[in-house]
Amino acid sequence: NQVSFKSQTLSVLVFPRKLKYLVMLHSGAGMSEPSPAAAPERLPFSQVTQEDLVFFKKILPGRTITDPDLLESSNVDWLKTVRGSSEVLLRPQTTEEVSQILSYCNSRNLAVNPQGGNTGLVGGSVPVYDEIILSTALMNNILTFDRISGILTCQAGCVLENLSLYLEERDYIMPLDLGAKGSCHIGGNVATNAGGLRLLRYGSLRGTVLGLEVVLADGRVLDCLATLRKDNTGYDLKQLFIGSEGTLGFITAVSILCPRKPKSVNVIFLGCETFEQLLQTFQLCRGMLGEILSAFEFLDSECMRLLVTHLKLPNPITECPFYVVIETSGSDPTHDQQKLHNFLEEAMASSLVSDGTVATEDSKIKTLWSMRERVTEALTHEGFTYKYDISLPVERIYQLVTDMRTHLGGRAKSVVGYGHVGDGNLHLNITSPAKDPALLAAIEPFIYEWTASCQGSISAEHGLGLKKRNYIYYSKPSQAVALMGNIKAMLDPKGILNPYKTLPDKLK
Amino acid sequence: NQVSFKSQTLSVLVFPRKLKYLVMLHSGAGMSEPSPAAAPERLPFSQVTQEDLVFFKKILPGRTITDPDLLESSNVDWLKTVRGSSEVLLRPQTTEEVSQILSYCNSRNLAVNPQGGNTGLVGGSVPVYDEIILSTALMNNILTFDRISGILTCQAGCVLENLSLYLEERDYIMPLDLGAKGSCHIGGNVATNAGGLRLLRYGSLRGTVLGLEVVLADGRVLDCLATLRKDNTGYDLKQLFIGSEGTLGFITAVSILCPRKPKSVNVIFLGCETFEQLLQTFQLCRGMLGEILSAFEFLDSECMRLLVTHLKLPNPITECPFYVVIETSGSDPTHDQQKLHNFLEEAMASSLVSDGTVATEDSKIKTLWSMRERVTEALTHEGFTYKYDISLPVERIYQLVTDMRTHLGGRAKSVVGYGHVGDGNLHLNITSPAKDPALLAAIEPFIYEWTASCQGSISAEHGLGLKKRNYIYYSKPSQAVALMGNIKAMLDPKGILNPYKTLPDKLK
């Protein structure tokens, strides 16, 4: 649920560089950092010395960045809500270099912030204080691709969109797709267990990632870079690193199972009068489109208003309270269109949908998809945005939006809901002209308590990062969090890897 | 790759009950235990005392089994190749009971063998010495099923086939299916990360299992029984227990995402002259059947000979060196049959297949499937069987069979290959009239070295259990195995859970 970052560069601003946690008030960005998630005290890591820099420059000549201007875009997150004050950005090219750097940092007790495309939404991808930024940007080689099995092996810094283009030429696709594809790195996708737009069809990265190469905090290289669909020889260690947000190890390479490129893709954009009808449409769709259904996404009329107002995107159908984007991918265009036709006929006849449009050609497909993909971008024009990424039983997802509207009354500028219906994943965003602590206090812990009361998850796909780490107990019992702490202590006893992220400040 | 156990009962034999590792030479069964995998010395666990039995009987009145005859079938594995000498079988009904038992056993330093349906093939599901058998047999309640999302929650002892029947009445199916479905428990399936016949279509349990409840070695209950498709709040602890063969925790409940029941299922049985043609057929099939392909399995002519000879199953087509079972599952019978028709026409026209038959009705579908599912059963009539479950790049899988035949010359009775082409998973079985150490020495380590030279896995889906644990280094680097040891020590410091399994006797 992020916009495409392809042609975007972050404006270079000059910030005071000191060991202090800075928050930004920046036009077009929302500081959504609630007080319990504010950074804790800086932990007693060492500070980078001239000697350290000499060492880094010896290992990475020309790739040890200390120029503050060049460091700027790596110190600030994409939402411009969190920034660190790192003075060193390291750009290794090989696993061996990463190993040497981490071994050194661990012995020197220097904290490290692993960084991919820096497109995360929870402050996980930037330093909090002066952590050394260890970037995958130059680790962007494709290592192997097997045209029979569809298994791709690549370095962690490959940009998702580049991998997609590479595969499409070979008649395959990546099993994940997300708005940030133009910038995000596959290593970062794996580290955050990114979900995205194709999860409904191809499943999560826990099933499609077949192997990982990881450098541990002390520099040891863990080679689990298998390229096998099945391997039951001992514990599946790679799973520890999927979704651990760089706190347990630094992912250097990934192998992933890629689906065949579908021969036929169709997208329909529909309008529904009620969310109940939208859910019925989803059920009908699952039954009638079956194995060719590849996405079922929604946005509400508030989202549409923002798209029209801020991005000048025209509404492709008549105005409705709810909009749905349905994608099909299949191997036979005639069969797929027949299935779509039958589904639409049934949906219209039973009055589940009030208007709709179908796209079969690439440019119109992209136009319809942009209505869903660019909501995040439209939101950045609203001022402050308080962002939530909630997993719920699918029949409850919109109730949270309406309950929140009632609960907040006139206090918010807008309360918008969109997301992945097929996965029970709601993106709830609340905007305000400026940062508003009273509004925040009205939202939280209300939203977390509401979610917990439905056994939902307070982070479906974004992770916990810096911003959400202290809310983990709303979704996980204390026994589980304690065990996570044990795993962290086992793999990174000095805690140098991405400190202040994922795990809460205090274990219960 | 196991036969249906539904109507089968193990013959009750009287064995000496003493603290000794016994191997069985039994008609119709093969002792495939190679010497390096032979059980290590009994570890210094406590022995069960009368006081212990008093405690167990208080917690589990009527469900603490000490009658040797009743214990017999729990002490011996399905292949009748490994047996323990446990004197206590405990049959809890609730998670709380499991927690009390493990807490007690841990404090008393009593070893425990978690047991589901006892259908494993690597000696993982039975005690090695006098471990207490802790069975899931009475934990067989379905807890919840959500008809909208298709998410099932149940206790660990539910028999896979019962879950399938329950779901089919509700228009859903289980995402996994295997020959042992009539006996195996879902908890055991998860603990061994079972693959089976539907993995090609629905992916592995790592993607479909959404939540687990697990009792740790010290009796702590870890509640990760989420029913959400997406949840990125911290490390995904449940993954540790999937495929850990009961060595890290005792799974008490499972939640799993179930696919819709397909409206149309077709099975075709084909013959190919060469394995190269079989692989080309697979490629053609993936292209032309696309999203409706749900299985692509093979057996060789040696398998067919055993099916015909021992089980009197008639070959449904003319004799061929290779046979293929292809299954399609879809939502539109007309479309599916058209796709199948087009595929068959193309396969015949290009001379990839030499003969074939199609089944669309249930009884014939079952008949064709039995040609693949009952190979394991047919093998038990051959005398000794040395069983291997290998993952390889798909284009290499049959080369291992032919290389093995050449390598063994006339030493084996038969060398047969079958398995899951779609997953690159070969089941290689070598038979002999009786146990034959010279034959074994010719097979191993040849087979493991061959597999390692292709970066394959020496256990694709069966796990390591007792039999394969010491071969782990052929598929995993020592760094990884050491880390597995750390995880075991963290979760089960006294090592009471399923000792002598999964991890090798010596860490490198």
Side-chain angles (χ1 to χ4, degrees):
Chain A
N1 68 328
Q2 300 172 15
V3 304
S4 173
F5 294 69
K6 209 173 178 181
S7 58
Q8 184 176 346
T9 50
L10 288 160
S11 58
V12 175
L13 301 171
V14 179
F15 286 92
R17 283 171 293 116
K18 45 186 173 180
L19 297 179
K20 197 176 151 194
Y21 180 68
L22 294 170
V23 296
M24 295 167 61
L25 296 182
H26 189 278
S27 78
M31 169 56 200
S32 61
E33 183 69 2
S35 56
E41 289 293 297
R42 182 183 182 280
L43 292 169
F45 297 111
S46 305
Q47 294 182 18
V48 176
T49 64
Q50 280 307 313
E51 266 185 357
D52 297 330
L53 289 177
V54 168
F55 176 85
F56 294 140
K57 285 175 182 167
K58 205 180 90 191
I59 306 268
L60 303 175
R63 292 177 282 127
T64 299
I65 315 297
T66 52
D67 179 332
D69 289 349
L70 296 176
L71 266 160
E72 183 49 40
S73 64
S74 293
N75 261 320
V76 65
D77 74 327
W78 179 76
L79 286 171
K80 301 194 177 70
T81 56
V82 177
R83 86 175 303 274
S85 50
S86 177
E87 298 184 354
V88 193
L89 165 65
L90 302 177
R91 293 157 68 98
Q93 289 173 323
T94 68
T95 302
E96 175 55 27
E97 287 172 353
V98 174
S99 168
Q100 286 180 274
I101 291 162
L102 285 181
S103 168
Y104 180 86
C105 290
N106 192 56
S107 68
R108 275 276 295 123
N109 198 32
L110 288 164
V112 174
N113 164 239
Q115 191 174 78
N118 193 11
T119 64
L121 296 174
V122 289
S125 59
V126 286
V128 176
Y129 293 99
D130 59 333
E131 297 93 276
I132 292 165
I133 302 171
L134 188 57
S135 164
T136 51
L138 300 183
M139 302 182 75
N140 54 6
N141 290 311
I142 289 171
L143 304 173
T144 61
F145 178 66
D146 183 326
R147 283 181 186 240
I148 296 176
S149 62
I151 297 168
L152 172 79
T153 313
C154 65
Q155 283 190 298
C158 291
V159 170
L160 180 59
E161 191 165 57
N162 294 344
L163 294 176
S164 292
L165 293 172
Y166 174 90
L167 289 171
E168 283 185 27
E169 286 169 13
R170 286 152 184 85
D171 218 24
Y172 281 86
I173 60 170
M174 285 296 281
L176 81 160
D177 185 29
L178 50 154
K181 57 179 161 258
S183 297
C184 64
H185 296 183
I186 187 66
N189 295 149
V190 172
T192 51
N193 189 28
L197 304 165
R198 290 181 183 155
L199 190 132
L200 178 70
R201 175 68 167 270
Y202 301 112
S204 85
L205 291 174
R206 302 206 171 272
T208 52
V209 170
L210 302 181
L212 290 181
E213 182 187 67
V214 178
V215 180
L216 300 178
D218 62 4
R220 272 180 296 161
V221 179
L222 189 67
D223 178 4
C224 297
L225 199 58
T227 54
L228 303 165
R229 281 202 71 163
K230 289 158 100 172
D231 176 18
N232 277 351
T233 53
Y235 312 147
D236 189 3
L237 299 175
K238 70 173 181 290
Q239 296 290 344
L240 280 174
F241 304 97
I242 299 176
S244 67
E245 302 183 279
T247 61
L248 297 180
F250 187 97
I251 296 170
T252 47
V254 174
S255 77
I256 190 162
L257 182 66
C258 302
R260 283 287 184 100
K261 184 178 173 180
K263 292 192 184 114
S264 128
V265 175
N266 298 288
V267 169
I268 26 182
F269 194 88
L270 301 175
C272 293
E273 288 302 317
T274 66
F275 199 74
E276 180 51 40
Q277 287 181 339
L278 184 151
L279 288 177
Q280 285 173 31
T281 307
F282 176 50
Q283 287 299 86
L284 185 69
C285 193
R286 292 214 301 170
M288 297 187 71
L289 298 178
E291 64 280 0
I292 65 167
L293 178 63
S294 55
F296 194 104
E297 302 280 317
F298 94 102
L299 48 147
D300 65 12
S301 57
E302 280 292 278
C303 293
M304 183 60 80
R305 189 178 59 75
L306 301 183
L307 291 168
V308 172
T309 310
H310 299 303
L311 306 182
K312 312 294 177 211
L313 296 180
N315 183 344
I317 61 172
T318 57
E319 281 196 20
C320 287
F322 297 97
Y323 302 92
V324 180
V325 182
I326 298 172
E327 188 192 70
T328 65
S329 314
S331 60
D332 187 314
T334 313
H335 290 170
D336 293 4
Q337 276 165 34
Q338 258 178 34
K339 288 190 176 90
L340 254 186
H341 176 80
N342 294 344
F343 158 70
L344 281 174
E345 209 165 53
E346 177 71 25
M348 293 291 190
S350 51
S351 301
L352 290 179
V353 303
S354 41
D355 192 16
T357 179
V358 182
T360 51
E361 52 190 272
D362 262 11
S363 64
K364 197 177 170 198
I365 285 176
K366 284 205 175 98
T367 303
L368 292 184
W369 259 121
S370 66
M371 304 307 291
R372 166 65 188 80
E373 289 191 288
R374 296 184 68 188
V375 174
T376 309
E377 183 188 354
L379 278 160
T380 62
H381 296 267
E382 279 280 284
F384 259 83
T385 305
Y386 296 95
K387 299 184 84 67
Y388 301 93
D389 166 38
I390 306 288
S391 235
L392 288 169
V394 65
E395 60 273 26
R396 304 293 301 275
I397 61 176
Y398 205 72
Q399 201 185 327
L400 175 55
V401 181
T402 48
D403 281 12
M404 183 60 82
R405 282 197 187 117
T406 309
H407 174 72
L408 294 180
R411 276 178 286 191
K413 187 171 168 188
S414 54
V415 177
V416 315
Y418 60 101
H420 318 282
V421 176
D423 315 325
N425 183 185
L426 170 73
H427 296 307
L428 171 57
N429 286 247
I430 299 157
T431 67
S432 166
K435 196 183 170 191
D436 182 347
L439 175 61
L440 180 61
I443 300 171
E444 301 181 9
F446 175 83
I447 188 166
Y448 298 127
E449 287 168 357
W450 200 103
T451 302
S453 75
C454 301
Q455 284 79 50
S457 168
I458 62 130
S459 179
E461 58 176 12
H462 292 171
L464 296 171
L466 172 70
K467 292 183 181 179
K468 310 279 183 187
R469 72 194 189 288
N470 285 326
Y471 306 116
I472 191 171
Y473 293 105
Y474 285 103
S475 293
K476 289 287 158 67
S478 55
Q479 292 282 15
V481 180
L483 187 48
M484 292 178 203
N486 295 344
I487 292 171
K488 172 73 175 175
M490 180 181 80
L491 285 168
D492 180 16
K494 294 185 174 179
I496 64 162
L497 280 176
N498 225 10
Y500 326 109
K501 313 285 172 66
T502 309
L503 294 178
D505 293 334
K506 283 177 194 155
L507 292 177
K508 275 184 185 170
Chain B
N1 66 328
Q2 301 172 15
V3 304
S4 172
F5 294 69
K6 207 171 181 182
S7 59
Q8 184 176 345
T9 51
L10 285 161
S11 57
V12 174
L13 301 171
V14 180
F15 286 91
R17 282 173 294 117
K18 45 185 173 178
L19 295 179
K20 197 177 150 195
Y21 179 70
L22 295 169
V23 296
M24 295 167 60
L25 295 182
H26 189 278
S27 79
M31 169 55 199
S32 63
E33 184 67 3
S35 56
E41 289 293 297
R42 182 182 182 280
L43 292 168
F45 296 112
S46 305
Q47 295 182 19
V48 175
T49 63
Q50 281 306 315
E51 265 185 357
D52 297 330
L53 289 177
V54 168
F55 176 84
F56 294 140
K57 284 174 183 169
K58 205 179 88 192
I59 306 270
L60 304 177
R63 293 178 282 127
T64 299
I65 316 297
T66 52
D67 179 332
D69 289 349
L70 295 176
L71 266 159
E72 182 48 39
S73 66
S74 293
N75 260 321
V76 64
D77 74 328
W78 179 76
L79 285 172
K80 300 195 176 70
T81 55
V82 177
R83 88 174 301 274
S85 50
S86 177
E87 299 184 353
V88 194
L89 164 67
L90 301 178
R91 291 155 69 99
Q93 289 173 323
T94 67
T95 302
E96 176 55 28
E97 288 172 354
V98 174
S99 169
Q100 286 180 274
I101 291 161
L102 285 181
S103 169
Y104 180 85
C105 290
N106 192 56
S107 68
R108 278 273 297 121
N109 198 33
L110 287 163
V112 174
N113 164 240
Q115 190 173 79
N118 193 11
T119 63
L121 297 174
V122 290
S125 59
V126 286
V128 175
Y129 292 100
D130 58 334
E131 297 93 275
I132 293 165
I133 302 170
L134 189 57
S135 164
T136 51
L138 300 183
M139 302 184 75
N140 53 7
N141 291 312
I142 289 171
L143 304 174
T144 61
F145 178 65
D146 183 326
R147 283 180 187 243
I148 296 177
S149 62
I151 296 168
L152 172 80
T153 313
C154 65
Q155 283 189 299
C158 291
V159 171
L160 180 58
E161 192 166 55
N162 295 344
L163 294 176
S164 291
L165 293 171
Y166 173 91
L167 289 171
E168 283 184 27
E169 285 168 14
R170 286 152 183 85
D171 218 25
Y172 281 87
I173 59 170
M174 286 295 283
L176 81 161
D177 185 28
L178 49 156
K181 56 180 161 257
S183 298
C184 64
H185 296 184
I186 187 67
N189 295 148
V190 172
T192 52
N193 189 28
L197 304 166
R198 289 180 183 156
L199 189 133
L200 178 68
R201 175 67 167 269
Y202 301 112
S204 85
L205 291 174
R206 301 206 171 271
T208 53
V209 171
L210 301 181
L212 290 181
E213 182 188 66
V214 177
V215 180
L216 300 179
D218 62 5
R220 271 179 297 161
V221 179
L222 190 66
D223 178 5
C224 296
L225 200 57
T227 54
L228 303 166
R229 281 201 73 163
K230 288 158 100 172
D231 176 19
N232 277 352
T233 53
Y235 312 147
D236 189 2
L237 298 175
K238 69 173 182 291
Q239 297 290 344
L240 280 174
F241 304 97
I242 301 176
S244 67
E245 303 184 277
T247 61
L248 297 180
F250 186 96
I251 295 171
T252 48
V254 174
S255 76
I256 189 163
L257 181 67
C258 303
R260 282 288 185 98
K261 184 178 171 179
K263 292 191 185 119
S264 132
V265 175
N266 299 287
V267 169
I268 24 180
F269 194 87
L270 301 175
C272 292
E273 288 301 317
T274 65
F275 198 75
E276 180 51 38
Q277 286 180 341
L278 185 151
L279 288 177
Q280 285 173 31
T281 307
F282 176 51
Q283 288 299 85
L284 185 69
C285 193
R286 293 215 299 170
M288 296 188 72
L289 298 178
E291 64 280 1
I292 65 168
L293 178 63
S294 56
F296 193 104
E297 301 281 316
F298 93 103
L299 48 146
D300 64 11
S301 57
E302 280 291 279
C303 293
M304 182 59 80
R305 188 178 59 75
L306 301 182
L307 291 167
V308 172
T309 310
H310 299 303
L311 306 183
K312 314 294 177 210
L313 296 179
N315 183 342
I317 60 171
T318 56
E319 282 194 19
C320 287
F322 298 97
Y323 301 93
V324 179
V325 182
I326 298 172
E327 188 192 70
T328 64
S329 315
S331 61
D332 187 312
T334 314
H335 291 169
D336 294 5
Q337 276 164 34
Q338 258 178 33
K339 287 190 177 89
L340 255 185
H341 177 81
N342 294 344
F343 159 69
L344 282 173
E345 210 166 53
E346 177 71 25
M348 295 291 189
S350 51
S351 301
L352 289 180
V353 304
S354 42
D355 192 14
T357 179
V358 182
T360 52
E361 53 189 274
D362 261 13
S363 64
K364 196 177 171 199
I365 285 176
K366 281 202 176 103
T367 305
L368 291 184
W369 259 122
S370 66
M371 304 307 291
R372 166 64 188 81
E373 289 191 288
R374 296 184 67 189
V375 174
T376 309
E377 183 187 354
L379 278 160
T380 62
H381 296 267
E382 280 279 283
F384 259 82
T385 306
Y386 297 94
K387 299 184 84 69
Y388 301 93
D389 166 39
I390 307 289
S391 236
L392 289 168
V394 66
E395 59 273 26
R396 304 294 300 276
I397 61 177
Y398 206 72
Q399 200 185 329
L400 175 55
V401 181
T402 48
D403 280 11
M404 183 62 82
R405 283 197 186 116
T406 309
H407 174 72
L408 294 179
R411 277 178 285 192
K413 187 172 170 187
S414 55
V415 177
V416 315
Y418 60 101
H420 318 282
V421 176
D423 315 324
N425 182 186
L426 169 75
H427 295 307
L428 171 58
N429 285 247
I430 299 158
T431 67
S432 165
K435 197 183 169 191
D436 183 347
L439 175 61
L440 179 60
I443 300 171
E444 300 180 8
F446 175 83
I447 188 168
Y448 297 128
E449 286 169 357
W450 199 103
T451 302
S453 75
C454 302
Q455 283 80 49
S457 167
I458 63 129
S459 180
E461 59 178 11
H462 292 172
L464 296 171
L466 172 71
K467 291 183 181 180
K468 310 279 184 187
R469 71 194 188 290
N470 285 325
Y471 307 115
I472 191 171
Y473 292 106
Y474 285 103
S475 293
K476 289 285 157 69
S478 55
Q479 292 281 15
V481 181
L483 187 49
M484 293 178 201
N486 295 343
I487 291 172
K488 171 74 175 172
M490 181 180 80
L491 285 168
D492 180 16
K494 293 184 174 179
I496 64 161
L497 280 176
N498 225 10
Y500 325 109
K501 313 285 171 65
T502 311
L503 294 178
D505 295 333
K506 283 177 193 154
L507 293 178
K508 275 182 184 173

